[in-house]
Amino acid sequence: MSKPKVAFYWCASCGGCEEAVVDLNEDILGVVQAVDIVFWPVALDFKRQDVEAMDDGSITVSFINGAIRSSEQYEMVELLRRKSKIVIAFGSCAHLGGIPGLANTFDRAAMLKEAYLESPSVTSGNTTIPQTEITVPEGKLTLPELWDTVKSLDQTIKVDYYLPGCPPPANLIKEAVTTILEGRLPEPGTILAPDIALCEDCPRRETKPDKLIIEQFKRPSQYIIDPDQCILAQGFLCLGSVTRKGCGAVCIEGNMPCTGCMGPTSRVKDFGAKAMSAIASLIDADDEEKITKIIDGMADPVGTFYRYSLPASIIHRSYQKPDGGGAHNGA
Amino acid sequence: MSVPENRTNGTPKIGVYICHCGINIANKVNIKETVDFAAKLPYVTVAKEYKFMCSDPGQELIQQDIRAGLIDRVVVASCSPLMHEATFRNATGEGGANPFMFQMANIREHVSWVTFDKDAATVKAKALIAAAVHRVSLHRPLEQTRVPVHPDVLVVGGGIAGIHASLTLANAGKKVYLVEREPTIGGHMAKFDKTFPTLDCSACILTPKMSAVRAHPNITLWTYSEVVGVEGFVGNFKVKVRRKPRYVDEDLCVGCLECIEACIFKKGKFPDEFNQGLSQRKPIYIPFPQATPLVAVIDPETCAHFKTGKCKKPCADACQPGAVKFDQTEEIKEVAVGSVILATGFKAFDAARVGRYGYGKYPNIYTSLEIERLVNAAGPTGGELKMADGRKPKSVGIVHCVGSRDNNTNAYCSRVCCMYSLKLAHLIKERTEAEVYNFYIDMRTPGKGYEEFYERLLKENVHFIRGRVAEINDWAMIDEEKGHLIIRVEDTLIGRVRRVPVDMVVLSVGLEAQPDADAVRRLFNISCSHEGWFLERHPKLAPVSTFTEGIFLAGACQGPKDIPDCVAQAGAAAAEALALIDKGSVELEPNTAFVNEEVCAGCHTCLNVCPYGAISYIKEINKARVNGALCKGCGTCVAACPSGALQQNLFTDEQIMNEIKGVMNHV
Amino acid sequence: MSDTAHKTDGFQPRIVAFFCNWCTYTAADLAGTARMTYAPNVRVVRVMCSGRLDPQFIMEAFRNGADGVLIGGCHPGDCHYQAGNYKALRRYILLKRVMKEMGIEEGRFRLEWIAASEGDKVQRVINEMTETIRKLGPLHLEPVNIPATAHVQVGTDKAAVAARGGVS
């Protein structure tokens, strides 16, 4: 019997997920022995044409990381979907849209303008914005279309399983790979991580006060985090209570608050909304002015609560009026 | 619709029943169209209409369909769930399904009665029905918990309403705690001279009831006391009562008045509250001869001992039983009761707020309550009505609707003023033989024997001038007006502005909610109307109940009313409390929160969010747990739970989400 | 009587209202009993307490096509459950900030304290909100899933907006 065929692909991502695969260290060798890697642009020299040449459904499993935000990415994942029996959204960006998904607070025009025209690092006087098509003396050149909206993987193609995390923790990857290769397939749509919040695994859980309140939001850049106390109780926005466990609480171990990369539990549809609900409930004020003052102390609520999940949120992206005006200005 | 079949024990079978409510709904909502619409909604197996779903045949429709196996859950589109949810849950239960496999769509109060356009009303009704259908598809069978009802009752306020309610309950063998803020019970009625329309002596009919309260073995009377804390829920309230120190031992005082005699103030010096400040009392006093309990009280605000510390305390020396105790301190009593009757009464309108009527500016202008004391034989003047200079008034004007039916003060009618004005007119005429003028907007005399009383006054030659008084002053324009108060009024019957000179003016002040009604209602967790009157559960069908189960209303705290109405309402409130006690237990709405312990991460978010301390953290297993007996079902913890481990029965996330989808996605 | 209650032509906003059982829902019943006609645009979802409201519900309402969301709760200090409305207020203030940043106009999301006796306030608030949203126009959130034809959606930004279901 031939070895199962496996593909890895990256879309809008930082490369950390690829690193995570490599981080399996010697375990990667086991994987390599057990499977045929048929496509892995970051490491192996296969081309799109090679994939196109494969029979539909001939790849056992494709691990796709990164969010989807360009026509090229979409074409590739669509292709991989066709060729694969199982598609796994690998990492926060594929799972929920991830950090690239925060671009959904802007529209494309504003973003391109900022990046190519107005950014301080741009040569002044530049008026060139990338086009999808341009005719030069040598002929016609094309570029993939940058979408206006960043999508999570399952908003573009059908996804069978999810491996959450930024990047997914090594133990979860191993477990997922083993499970799938052994044919013990979980229910479609399963997120391959424990369905319970991180607080359960938190090394500081004993230090949680019964009366959990927030009088002031603090940022780790401004205050020193007491390494022995519940981080949220100290006023730092730790989202461990909202976030799936499975990461081993590595950020907490590093004395940093949980930012929620593992996403919500299965019972929560919108990570940011639920996080806001939970955190706001703890604010120690009842009158509008005081509440507002405390909330004003929170830097960038959208970026905080939707750090990894804006495209997968219920609202999905910032609202632009149909007249193209856009209620937001990308500022 | 997102209903995985396995989660609801097979595919739901929903019956939708649309009520015409006579023409109340059918006039605005196209019933036929709505039924057709409902029939096409997911999982709907039966869609029917009926004239009155709440009638027996209407309920029978539901039961038959359940029994026939056509449906296993029910949507009734009719009135508000606050009106008939219990009715239809029962019908669903009687039919053999779990009563909570039911959801109501409010297409009367929220649709037909508030929508102008018929098409718009039909669209809205459809949306609400779709919402209910989506929601009920996710309902689960629930069991109600029964909790015993504590048989004791707390009555707050010792006016006629509180007295009557207390006696009714006590006579039925129930134990009552009657709490009154003043040093004596009796309330406003104790101040009145006579009562309309029968002219009974108010004291004569009230004081026997006051004594009965004092003597009743089932009544614990706490005067000079206030409720300061209320916890718990229907059948199981815990109430804290602050007993203010009266510096006289209630058990020892015999009411002999020796202490008052002995006080270093030889004469009364301070305004006597009972006489509306028209006489003076000493710092140690008994409000009036029939005060109940007949126990002296020391007012620390005026007592020389408390003010200067230099008094020799002759009152204490004069007290043979040794009842005067300057070291008395306030006491907090805690009692458990199953129900509460609020009978906290009203406050008379402050006449000074209508500056143009000259109250407080000119002599010989009195409020009706002051006149009650002045014409009272036990009052400050022994019942003689005299002017400031000692003369008998030859003419008296009674001005109606002071602080009532006036957009500048209170828009409502105080209901009692016309009648008590007639009574005062009669008494004044009887005592002084003066000419009496009533200035009224409309005479309002609905009540047994009331119109007849008005007729009688007309025959007694009391003058009636129809018009709202514009102003009262002493600016004489002609000689005849000199030395008189002049009442300026447009007489709307003859269409002329008149100036009526009189010796004395009675301002018939209206009734207002107690100034601290807001604090009291917060304490007892009930609602108020704009004007501050306690809000009844339903103006017609539950007039003495409140939105908080087990808390009932009696008397003028609910709105202006006269003595017969107060007594009737007090009896009704007592009957409601008795019904509750005799039922022995109450079924609690099963909308409590619960923790799915398998997935709770022990994050502590919910603990402090619960106002009732119903959630505890079980350290050994690192889970939160809800105490169902303490949970009141607000769901605040559920919204706060960061990982969805907490849910609320009847209001799960899925049920609400599905309702939202339903309300939006079909029309 | 404002025109709002009678207006049947043009854009009819759809507003989802979450009313607490004890104050605002009762007030809405009272408005009904008193036959206070108001705009037919609000659809009420009853919860026991405004404290039950999870921001997910509000977003879900918008996602399902609501042009506005109204929350009605007991006045501060009046909560039937002591303090649920304060939790609602805290969430509302935070959520409002996020909504604003997400480009959803302020007028589309509103919290009002409406006591059981304030039937007239229900009428006024609903009429006002309907009017406000009528002026703002429909809210077209971008569909979450990519349309089947997405990969051919290249070209101008206008086309991209259209692809989001912007104009319908």
Short mmCIF file of all heavy atoms in Angstrom, two decimals, chain B residues 80-82 85 106 110 114 124 521-522 525 528 547 612 634 636 648 651 653 661 663-665 667, chain C residues 8 14 21-22 25-26 29 32 37-38 42-43 46 51-52 60 64-66 78 80-81 87 91 117:
data_model
loop_
_atom_site.label_atom_id
_atom_site.label_comp_id
_atom_site.label_asym_id
_atom_site.label_seq_id
_atom_site.Cartn_x
_atom_site.Cartn_y
_atom_site.Cartn_z
N SER B 80 -49.86 38.90 25.32
CA SER B 80 -48.55 38.90 25.97
C SER B 80 -48.37 37.66 26.83
O SER B 80 -49.31 37.21 27.48
CB SER B 80 -48.42 40.15 26.86
OG SER B 80 -47.28 40.03 27.67
N PRO B 81 -47.16 37.13 26.85
CA PRO B 81 -46.91 36.00 27.75
C PRO B 81 -47.15 36.38 29.22
O PRO B 81 -47.45 35.53 30.04
CB PRO B 81 -45.45 35.64 27.51
CG PRO B 81 -44.86 36.79 26.77
CD PRO B 81 -45.99 37.45 26.05
N LEU B 82 -47.01 37.65 29.51
CA LEU B 82 -47.25 38.08 30.89
C LEU B 82 -48.73 37.88 31.24
O LEU B 82 -49.11 37.85 32.39
CB LEU B 82 -46.85 39.54 31.08
CG LEU B 82 -45.40 39.86 30.71
CD1 LEU B 82 -45.08 41.32 31.02
CD2 LEU B 82 -44.43 38.95 31.46
N GLU B 85 -49.22 33.20 29.44
CA GLU B 85 -48.23 32.13 29.30
C GLU B 85 -48.58 30.95 30.19
O GLU B 85 -48.53 29.79 29.78
CB GLU B 85 -46.82 32.65 29.64
CG GLU B 85 -45.73 31.65 29.33
CD GLU B 85 -44.34 32.26 29.48
OE1 GLU B 85 -44.02 32.75 30.59
OE2 GLU B 85 -43.59 32.26 28.50
N ASN B 106 -46.37 37.30 20.90
CA ASN B 106 -47.23 38.39 21.38
C ASN B 106 -47.69 39.25 20.20
O ASN B 106 -47.04 40.24 19.87
CB ASN B 106 -46.45 39.22 22.40
CG ASN B 106 -47.28 40.31 23.02
OD1 ASN B 106 -48.40 40.57 22.61
ND2 ASN B 106 -46.72 40.96 24.04
N HIS B 110 -48.05 43.68 21.23
CA HIS B 110 -46.89 44.14 20.46
C HIS B 110 -47.18 44.32 18.97
O HIS B 110 -46.32 44.76 18.23
CB HIS B 110 -45.70 43.19 20.65
CG HIS B 110 -45.09 43.30 22.01
ND1 HIS B 110 -43.88 42.77 22.34
CD2 HIS B 110 -45.54 43.88 23.14
CE1 HIS B 110 -43.61 43.02 23.61
NE2 HIS B 110 -44.61 43.68 24.13
N VAL B 114 -50.74 48.16 18.46
CA VAL B 114 -49.80 49.28 18.35
C VAL B 114 -49.44 49.61 16.90
O VAL B 114 -48.59 50.46 16.65
CB VAL B 114 -48.50 49.01 19.14
CG1 VAL B 114 -48.78 48.99 20.63
CG2 VAL B 114 -47.84 47.71 18.69
N LYS B 124 -45.37 41.91 10.78
CA LYS B 124 -44.75 41.84 12.11
C LYS B 124 -45.23 40.60 12.86
O LYS B 124 -44.44 39.90 13.50
CB LYS B 124 -45.08 43.11 12.90
CG LYS B 124 -44.29 43.23 14.20
CD LYS B 124 -44.54 44.58 14.86
CE LYS B 124 -43.87 44.65 16.22
NZ LYS B 124 -44.21 45.87 16.95
N ARG B 521 -39.80 50.89 47.02
CA ARG B 521 -40.04 49.92 45.96
C ARG B 521 -38.75 49.23 45.54
O ARG B 521 -38.75 48.08 45.18
CB ARG B 521 -40.73 50.59 44.78
CG ARG B 521 -39.78 51.25 43.88
CD ARG B 521 -40.38 51.74 42.62
NE ARG B 521 -39.42 52.66 42.07
CZ ARG B 521 -38.50 52.31 41.20
NH1 ARG B 521 -38.46 51.10 40.75
NH2 ARG B 521 -37.62 53.18 40.78
N ARG B 522 -37.66 49.95 45.62
CA ARG B 522 -36.38 49.30 45.30
C ARG B 522 -36.08 48.22 46.33
O ARG B 522 -35.59 47.15 46.01
CB ARG B 522 -35.25 50.32 45.27
CG ARG B 522 -35.31 51.09 43.98
CD ARG B 522 -34.23 52.10 43.81
NE ARG B 522 -34.56 52.87 42.61
CZ ARG B 522 -33.75 53.74 42.06
NH1 ARG B 522 -32.57 53.97 42.57
NH2 ARG B 522 -34.11 54.39 40.98
N ASN B 525 -38.19 45.50 45.44
CA ASN B 525 -38.01 45.05 44.08
C ASN B 525 -39.31 45.04 43.27
O ASN B 525 -39.65 44.07 42.62
CB ASN B 525 -37.39 43.65 44.10
CG ASN B 525 -36.71 43.34 42.79
OD1 ASN B 525 -36.53 44.23 41.96
ND2 ASN B 525 -36.34 42.10 42.61
N CYS B 528 -42.80 51.22 40.00
CA CYS B 528 -43.62 52.40 40.30
C CYS B 528 -44.16 52.98 38.99
O CYS B 528 -43.52 52.88 37.96
CB CYS B 528 -42.75 53.49 40.91
SG CYS B 528 -42.72 53.54 42.67
N PHE B 547 -45.24 42.76 40.23
CA PHE B 547 -44.46 41.91 39.35
C PHE B 547 -43.51 41.02 40.13
O PHE B 547 -42.89 40.13 39.57
CB PHE B 547 -43.70 42.76 38.33
CG PHE B 547 -44.60 43.30 37.27
CD1 PHE B 547 -45.00 44.62 37.29
CD2 PHE B 547 -45.09 42.47 36.29
CE1 PHE B 547 -45.86 45.11 36.32
CE2 PHE B 547 -45.95 42.95 35.32
CZ PHE B 547 -46.34 44.27 35.34
N TYR B 612 -26.79 37.26 43.62
CA TYR B 612 -27.40 36.50 44.72
C TYR B 612 -26.43 35.53 45.38
O TYR B 612 -26.82 34.75 46.23
CB TYR B 612 -28.61 35.72 44.18
CG TYR B 612 -29.62 36.64 43.55
CD1 TYR B 612 -29.78 36.69 42.18
CD2 TYR B 612 -30.40 37.48 44.34
CE1 TYR B 612 -30.69 37.56 41.60
CE2 TYR B 612 -31.31 38.34 43.77
CZ TYR B 612 -31.46 38.38 42.40
OH TYR B 612 -32.34 39.24 41.83
N CYS B 634 -31.82 35.40 36.09
CA CYS B 634 -31.62 36.60 35.26
C CYS B 634 -30.76 36.27 34.05
O CYS B 634 -30.89 36.90 33.01
CB CYS B 634 -30.98 37.74 36.06
SG CYS B 634 -29.34 37.40 36.73
N THR B 636 -27.51 36.66 33.81
CA THR B 636 -26.35 37.54 33.66
C THR B 636 -25.05 36.74 33.62
O THR B 636 -24.14 37.05 32.86
CB THR B 636 -26.33 38.57 34.81
OG1 THR B 636 -27.59 39.25 34.83
CG2 THR B 636 -25.23 39.59 34.62
N GLN B 648 -28.73 28.91 30.60
CA GLN B 648 -29.93 29.20 31.37
C GLN B 648 -31.10 28.41 30.80
O GLN B 648 -31.37 28.48 29.60
CB GLN B 648 -30.24 30.71 31.32
CG GLN B 648 -31.44 31.10 32.17
CD GLN B 648 -31.85 32.55 31.97
OE1 GLN B 648 -31.33 33.25 31.10
NE2 GLN B 648 -32.79 33.01 32.77
N PHE B 651 -33.73 29.89 28.40
CA PHE B 651 -33.05 30.97 27.68
C PHE B 651 -31.63 30.56 27.33
O PHE B 651 -30.68 31.24 27.68
CB PHE B 651 -33.05 32.27 28.49
CG PHE B 651 -34.42 32.89 28.63
CD1 PHE B 651 -35.25 32.54 29.69
CD2 PHE B 651 -34.88 33.79 27.69
CE1 PHE B 651 -36.52 33.09 29.81
CE2 PHE B 651 -36.15 34.35 27.80
CZ PHE B 651 -36.97 34.00 28.86
N ASP B 653 -28.37 29.92 24.95
CA ASP B 653 -27.82 30.69 23.84
C ASP B 653 -28.47 30.27 22.53
O ASP B 653 -28.88 31.09 21.71
CB ASP B 653 -26.30 30.45 23.71
CG ASP B 653 -25.51 31.25 24.74
OD1 ASP B 653 -26.11 32.13 25.38
OD2 ASP B 653 -24.31 30.98 24.89
N LYS B 661 -32.81 34.40 14.62
CA LYS B 661 -32.86 33.98 13.21
C LYS B 661 -34.29 33.94 12.73
O LYS B 661 -34.61 34.37 11.62
CB LYS B 661 -32.22 32.60 13.05
CG LYS B 661 -30.71 32.66 13.12
CD LYS B 661 -30.11 31.26 12.99
CE LYS B 661 -28.65 31.29 13.39
NZ LYS B 661 -28.25 30.11 14.15
N VAL B 663 -36.89 35.58 13.83
CA VAL B 663 -37.58 36.87 13.75
C VAL B 663 -37.12 37.65 12.52
O VAL B 663 -37.81 38.53 12.02
CB VAL B 663 -37.38 37.68 15.06
CG1 VAL B 663 -36.10 38.48 15.05
CG2 VAL B 663 -38.57 38.58 15.33
N MET B 664 -35.94 37.31 11.99
CA MET B 664 -35.41 38.07 10.86
C MET B 664 -35.58 37.38 9.51
O MET B 664 -35.65 38.04 8.48
CB MET B 664 -33.91 38.34 11.06
CG MET B 664 -33.57 39.30 12.18
SD MET B 664 -34.45 40.86 12.08
CE MET B 664 -33.88 41.46 10.50
N ASN B 665 -35.59 36.06 9.51
CA ASN B 665 -35.31 35.40 8.23
C ASN B 665 -36.50 34.99 7.38
O ASN B 665 -36.34 34.44 6.31
CB ASN B 665 -34.42 34.17 8.47
CG ASN B 665 -32.99 34.61 8.72
OD1 ASN B 665 -32.62 35.72 8.32
ND2 ASN B 665 -32.21 33.79 9.39
N VAL B 667 -39.62 37.04 7.07
CA VAL B 667 -40.30 38.20 6.46
C VAL B 667 -39.42 39.42 6.59
O VAL B 667 -38.63 39.53 7.51
CB VAL B 667 -41.67 38.51 7.12
CG1 VAL B 667 -42.73 37.63 6.52
CG2 VAL B 667 -41.60 38.35 8.62
N THR C 8 -45.75 53.74 5.35
CA THR C 8 -45.73 52.39 4.81
C THR C 8 -44.90 52.29 3.54
O THR C 8 -44.60 51.21 3.08
CB THR C 8 -47.16 51.91 4.49
OG1 THR C 8 -47.78 52.89 3.66
CG2 THR C 8 -47.97 51.71 5.74
N ARG C 14 -35.67 47.19 9.67
CA ARG C 14 -36.04 46.09 10.58
C ARG C 14 -35.13 46.18 11.80
O ARG C 14 -33.91 46.17 11.69
CB ARG C 14 -35.88 44.75 9.88
CG ARG C 14 -36.88 44.61 8.71
CD ARG C 14 -36.94 43.19 8.22
NE ARG C 14 -35.65 42.75 7.71
CZ ARG C 14 -35.37 41.48 7.45
NH1 ARG C 14 -36.27 40.54 7.64
NH2 ARG C 14 -34.18 41.14 6.99
N ASN C 21 -37.83 41.34 30.70
CA ASN C 21 -39.19 40.93 31.04
C ASN C 21 -39.90 41.92 31.96
O ASN C 21 -41.08 42.18 31.80
CB ASN C 21 -39.11 39.56 31.73
CG ASN C 21 -40.47 39.00 32.05
OD1 ASN C 21 -41.26 38.70 31.16
ND2 ASN C 21 -40.77 38.87 33.33
N TRP C 22 -39.15 42.46 32.93
CA TRP C 22 -39.83 43.13 34.04
C TRP C 22 -40.12 44.60 33.80
O TRP C 22 -41.10 45.12 34.32
CB TRP C 22 -38.99 42.97 35.31
CG TRP C 22 -38.78 41.53 35.58
CD1 TRP C 22 -37.67 40.79 35.29
CD2 TRP C 22 -39.73 40.60 36.13
NE1 TRP C 22 -37.86 39.48 35.62
CE2 TRP C 22 -39.11 39.33 36.15
CE3 TRP C 22 -41.04 40.73 36.61
CZ2 TRP C 22 -39.75 38.20 36.64
CZ3 TRP C 22 -41.67 39.60 37.09
CH2 TRP C 22 -41.03 38.35 37.11
N TYR C 25 -40.27 45.09 28.57
CA TYR C 25 -41.29 44.26 27.90
C TYR C 25 -42.67 44.62 28.45
O TYR C 25 -43.64 44.74 27.70
CB TYR C 25 -41.00 42.77 28.13
CG TYR C 25 -41.80 41.87 27.20
CD1 TYR C 25 -41.29 41.50 25.96
CD2 TYR C 25 -43.07 41.43 27.56
CE1 TYR C 25 -42.04 40.71 25.09
CE2 TYR C 25 -43.82 40.64 26.69
CZ TYR C 25 -43.29 40.27 25.47
OH TYR C 25 -44.03 39.50 24.62
N THR C 26 -42.73 44.81 29.75
CA THR C 26 -43.99 45.20 30.38
C THR C 26 -44.44 46.56 29.88
O THR C 26 -45.63 46.78 29.64
CB THR C 26 -43.80 45.24 31.91
OG1 THR C 26 -43.25 43.99 32.32
CG2 THR C 26 -45.12 45.45 32.63
N ASP C 29 -45.96 46.12 26.61
CA ASP C 29 -47.32 45.62 26.79
C ASP C 29 -48.27 46.77 27.14
O ASP C 29 -49.39 46.84 26.65
CB ASP C 29 -47.36 44.58 27.92
CG ASP C 29 -46.96 43.19 27.43
OD1 ASP C 29 -46.60 43.07 26.25
OD2 ASP C 29 -47.02 42.25 28.24
N GLY C 32 -49.23 48.75 24.36
CA GLY C 32 -50.26 48.04 23.62
C GLY C 32 -51.63 48.21 24.25
O GLY C 32 -52.60 48.58 23.58
N THR C 37 -50.10 53.75 19.10
CA THR C 37 -49.60 53.28 17.82
C THR C 37 -48.16 53.74 17.61
O THR C 37 -47.83 54.88 17.92
CB THR C 37 -50.45 53.86 16.67
OG1 THR C 37 -51.79 53.87 17.10
CG2 THR C 37 -50.32 53.04 15.43
N TYR C 38 -47.32 52.84 17.16
CA TYR C 38 -45.95 53.24 16.82
C TYR C 38 -45.46 52.45 15.62
O TYR C 38 -46.15 51.55 15.13
CB TYR C 38 -45.01 53.11 18.03
CG TYR C 38 -44.97 51.75 18.70
CD1 TYR C 38 -44.24 50.71 18.16
CD2 TYR C 38 -45.62 51.53 19.91
CE1 TYR C 38 -44.17 49.49 18.78
CE2 TYR C 38 -45.57 50.31 20.55
CZ TYR C 38 -44.84 49.28 19.97
OH TYR C 38 -44.79 48.07 20.61
N VAL C 42 -40.10 47.32 14.81
CA VAL C 42 -39.33 46.66 15.86
C VAL C 42 -39.92 45.29 16.18
O VAL C 42 -41.13 45.13 16.29
CB VAL C 42 -39.31 47.54 17.13
CG1 VAL C 42 -38.88 46.73 18.34
CG2 VAL C 42 -38.36 48.71 16.94
N ARG C 43 -39.05 44.32 16.31
CA ARG C 43 -39.48 42.97 16.68
C ARG C 43 -38.79 42.61 17.98
O ARG C 43 -37.58 42.61 18.08
CB ARG C 43 -39.08 41.99 15.59
CG ARG C 43 -39.86 42.26 14.32
CD ARG C 43 -39.09 41.93 13.08
NE ARG C 43 -39.84 42.39 11.91
CZ ARG C 43 -39.73 41.83 10.73
NH1 ARG C 43 -38.89 40.84 10.53
NH2 ARG C 43 -40.43 42.30 9.72
N ARG C 46 -37.76 38.65 23.94
CA ARG C 46 -37.85 38.83 25.40
C ARG C 46 -36.74 38.04 26.11
O ARG C 46 -36.53 36.87 25.81
CB ARG C 46 -39.21 38.35 25.90
CG ARG C 46 -39.43 38.55 27.38
CD ARG C 46 -40.86 38.24 27.75
NE ARG C 46 -41.17 36.83 27.56
CZ ARG C 46 -41.52 36.01 28.55
NH1 ARG C 46 -41.62 36.46 29.78
NH2 ARG C 46 -41.77 34.75 28.31
N GLY C 51 -29.26 41.85 31.56
CA GLY C 51 -27.98 41.21 31.90
C GLY C 51 -27.76 39.89 31.17
O GLY C 51 -26.65 39.38 31.13
N ARG C 52 -28.82 39.33 30.61
CA ARG C 52 -28.68 38.08 29.85
C ARG C 52 -28.05 38.34 28.49
O ARG C 52 -27.62 37.43 27.81
CB ARG C 52 -30.06 37.43 29.69
CG ARG C 52 -30.08 36.17 28.79
CD ARG C 52 -29.35 35.02 29.46
NE ARG C 52 -29.23 33.83 28.63
CZ ARG C 52 -28.21 33.60 27.80
NH1 ARG C 52 -27.26 34.50 27.66
NH2 ARG C 52 -28.15 32.48 27.11
N GLU C 60 -25.52 38.83 16.04
CA GLU C 60 -26.30 37.85 15.28
C GLU C 60 -27.52 38.52 14.66
O GLU C 60 -27.91 38.20 13.54
CB GLU C 60 -26.72 36.71 16.22
CG GLU C 60 -27.31 35.51 15.52
CD GLU C 60 -26.30 34.70 14.72
OE1 GLU C 60 -25.09 34.94 14.85
OE2 GLU C 60 -26.73 33.83 13.94
N ASN C 64 -28.18 38.72 10.74
CA ASN C 64 -29.39 38.17 10.13
C ASN C 64 -30.26 39.22 9.47
O ASN C 64 -31.42 38.96 9.16
CB ASN C 64 -30.18 37.37 11.16
CG ASN C 64 -29.61 35.98 11.34
OD1 ASN C 64 -29.96 35.05 10.63
ND2 ASN C 64 -28.69 35.84 12.28
N GLY C 65 -29.71 40.41 9.31
CA GLY C 65 -30.42 41.38 8.50
C GLY C 65 -31.05 42.54 9.25
O GLY C 65 -31.73 43.37 8.64
N ALA C 66 -30.82 42.61 10.56
CA ALA C 66 -31.38 43.75 11.29
C ALA C 66 -30.65 45.03 10.86
O ALA C 66 -29.43 45.04 10.69
CB ALA C 66 -31.26 43.55 12.79
N ASP C 78 -33.05 49.95 39.33
CA ASP C 78 -34.38 49.34 39.30
C ASP C 78 -34.38 47.89 38.85
O ASP C 78 -35.45 47.30 38.72
CB ASP C 78 -35.28 50.10 38.31
CG ASP C 78 -35.70 51.43 38.86
OD1 ASP C 78 -35.21 51.78 39.95
OD2 ASP C 78 -36.52 52.11 38.22
N HIS C 80 -34.75 44.24 38.29
CA HIS C 80 -35.49 43.22 39.03
C HIS C 80 -34.51 42.23 39.67
O HIS C 80 -34.82 41.60 40.66
CB HIS C 80 -36.41 42.49 38.05
CG HIS C 80 -37.34 41.52 38.71
ND1 HIS C 80 -38.50 41.93 39.30
CD2 HIS C 80 -37.29 40.19 38.89
CE1 HIS C 80 -39.13 40.87 39.82
NE2 HIS C 80 -38.40 39.80 39.57
N TYR C 81 -33.35 42.12 39.06
CA TYR C 81 -32.33 41.22 39.59
C TYR C 81 -31.16 42.01 40.17
O TYR C 81 -30.01 41.60 40.06
CB TYR C 81 -31.85 40.29 38.48
CG TYR C 81 -32.94 39.47 37.85
CD1 TYR C 81 -33.50 39.83 36.64
CD2 TYR C 81 -33.44 38.34 38.49
CE1 TYR C 81 -34.51 39.08 36.06
CE2 TYR C 81 -34.45 37.59 37.92
CZ TYR C 81 -34.98 37.96 36.71
OH TYR C 81 -35.99 37.22 36.15
N LYS C 87 -24.55 45.30 34.20
CA LYS C 87 -23.71 44.45 33.36
C LYS C 87 -24.03 44.74 31.89
O LYS C 87 -23.15 44.80 31.05
CB LYS C 87 -23.93 42.96 33.66
CG LYS C 87 -23.98 42.59 35.12
CD LYS C 87 -22.64 42.72 35.81
CE LYS C 87 -22.63 42.11 37.21
NZ LYS C 87 -23.59 42.70 38.16
N ARG C 91 -21.37 46.12 29.04
CA ARG C 91 -21.15 45.44 27.75
C ARG C 91 -21.53 46.37 26.60
O ARG C 91 -20.85 46.40 25.57
CB ARG C 91 -22.00 44.17 27.69
CG ARG C 91 -21.57 43.14 28.70
CD ARG C 91 -22.49 41.94 28.67
NE ARG C 91 -22.29 41.09 29.84
CZ ARG C 91 -23.27 40.49 30.49
NH1 ARG C 91 -24.51 40.60 30.09
NH2 ARG C 91 -23.00 39.74 31.55
N SER C 117 -43.76 51.37 33.63
CA SER C 117 -44.87 52.32 33.46
C SER C 117 -44.68 53.21 32.23
O SER C 117 -45.55 54.01 31.92
CB SER C 117 -44.97 53.18 34.72
OG SER C 117 -43.74 53.86 34.92
#
